[in-house]
Amino acid sequence: MKRYETRIEDGILSVESANGWEVIGELSDIHELVGGETYTIEYDDHAQVVSWLDTEEDGTFTFDVRDTLDEMSYNDEFISQIVDIDPDATDEDGYSLRTSVFVDLMTEIWDSKGNLE
């Protein structure tokens, strides 16, 4: 299965697609939409005991949004949900619609700890 890479240049997040690189939006807008430069996930007591998960005492795990996005790759289904959006469209708050949909998808993935149904 083909995986598509991420690129961050001059504060702009882009993702690879079958047609080349597609601009998602400004990293500053992504930070605003996720609530900051870091993102925190909460784990319950059961999930905290797995050896590979290094949570804080309160069961939270905080990561740098830019670094995490820079390391990610995406499948065809994810990419098609983003690149089919008009790059000039905006949401009701004035953000690029691609940016806000991307953030919604990413926070859904992060909050589900990668276990989307």
Side-chain angles (χ1 to χ4, degrees):
M1 171 190 334
K2 170 74 174 149
R3 300 290 296 182
Y4 297 96
E5 300 299 317
T6 303
R7 177 172 68 192
I8 300 173
E9 286 183 343
D10 299 324
I12 304 292
L13 175 77
S14 301
V15 293
E16 183 183 20
S17 77
N19 299 322
W21 289 95
E22 302 278 349
V23 171
I24 298 302
E26 295 183 28
L27 199 54
S28 60
D29 289 346
I30 293 169
H31 286 150
E32 286 180 31
L33 290 166
V34 300
E37 294 183 8
T38 60
Y39 195 79
T40 300
I41 300 171
E42 294 183 37
Y43 288 88
D44 63 20
D45 292 339
H46 178 71
Q48 291 178 50
V49 298
V50 296
S51 61
W52 55 265
L53 185 59
D54 188 20
T55 63
E56 299 296 324
E57 286 185 27
D58 63 356
T60 60
F61 176 77
T62 301
F63 56 89
D64 183 276
V65 171
R66 183 193 196 288
D67 291 346
T68 300
L69 291 176
D70 196 35
E71 298 286 324
M72 295 201 65
S73 64
Y74 309 94
N75 64 20
D76 286 320
E77 182 181 348
F78 184 93
I79 292 298
S80 68
Q81 291 180 62
I82 302 298
V83 301
D84 288 345
I85 298 170
D86 178 354
D88 297 321
T90 58
D91 67 11
E92 61 276 357
D93 296 319
Y95 292 103
S96 160
L97 188 56
R98 274 189 179 183
T99 304
S100 61
V101 168
F102 176 83
V103 167
D104 288 346
L105 291 170
M106 289 310 305
T107 56
E108 182 180 350
I109 291 167
W110 292 337
D111 289 341
S112 70
K113 290 102 178 150
N115 296 317
L116 293 176
E117 294 183 23

